[in-house]
Amino acid sequence: MGAYDQNPVMDGARLAQQRGWDTPEKAVRGGAEFIHSEYLSRDNQHTLYSMRFNPVNPGHHQYATDVMWAYHNARQMAAYYKKMGLEGRFFTRYYYKK
């Protein structure tokens, strides 16, 4: 969103200041609103995988540059689900032509 690979901490801090995110709560809410409006509300980018790789339009409108971003976040979310005794029920699978 505002934390680019060259200097993510400084870039992210600059964006937070510009948007008035001067508390952790404001930063979490603001970041969540951004993720919702730019990715989750779209029909084709509502999963971690599609946010990262955008299978409908590869190479465009991607959230992260780390190719393992979706994997790492999914593992963390799975650990939280397990801790709460929940089980995922809905999945999206992507199939690619050779």
Side-chain angles (χ1 to χ4, degrees):
M1 172 170 163
Y4 299 100
D5 288 344
Q6 299 87 334
N7 196 348
V9 174
M10 189 59 107
D11 293 339
R14 187 176 299 116
L15 180 72
Q17 184 180 31
Q18 290 169 353
R19 297 202 175 184
W21 299 344
D22 53 7
T23 67
E25 181 178 355
K26 288 179 184 178
V28 169
R29 286 182 183 274
E33 288 171 5
F34 170 81
I35 294 295
H36 179 266
S37 67
E38 292 296 317
Y39 294 92
L40 301 181
S41 64
R42 294 170 180 245
D43 288 339
N44 63 341
Q45 282 193 286
H46 57 276
T47 68
L48 292 173
Y49 183 86
S50 63
M51 285 174 65
R52 169 57 190 100
F53 293 103
N54 195 2
V56 173
N57 193 8
H60 301 280
H61 199 257
Q62 298 176 166
Y63 182 70
T65 56
D66 178 3
V67 295
M68 297 298 287
W69 178 84
Y71 173 78
H72 292 300
N73 281 279
R75 288 202 37 160
Q76 188 64 50
M77 290 169 68
Y80 288 136
Y81 267 59
K82 186 175 181 178
K83 192 174 186 178
M84 293 185 290
L86 299 174
E87 186 175 316
R89 296 175 28 202
F90 303 99
F91 301 90
T92 300
R93 293 181 190 239
Y94 299 95
Y95 297 94
Y96 295 91
K97 296 178 182 178
K98 291 184 179 185

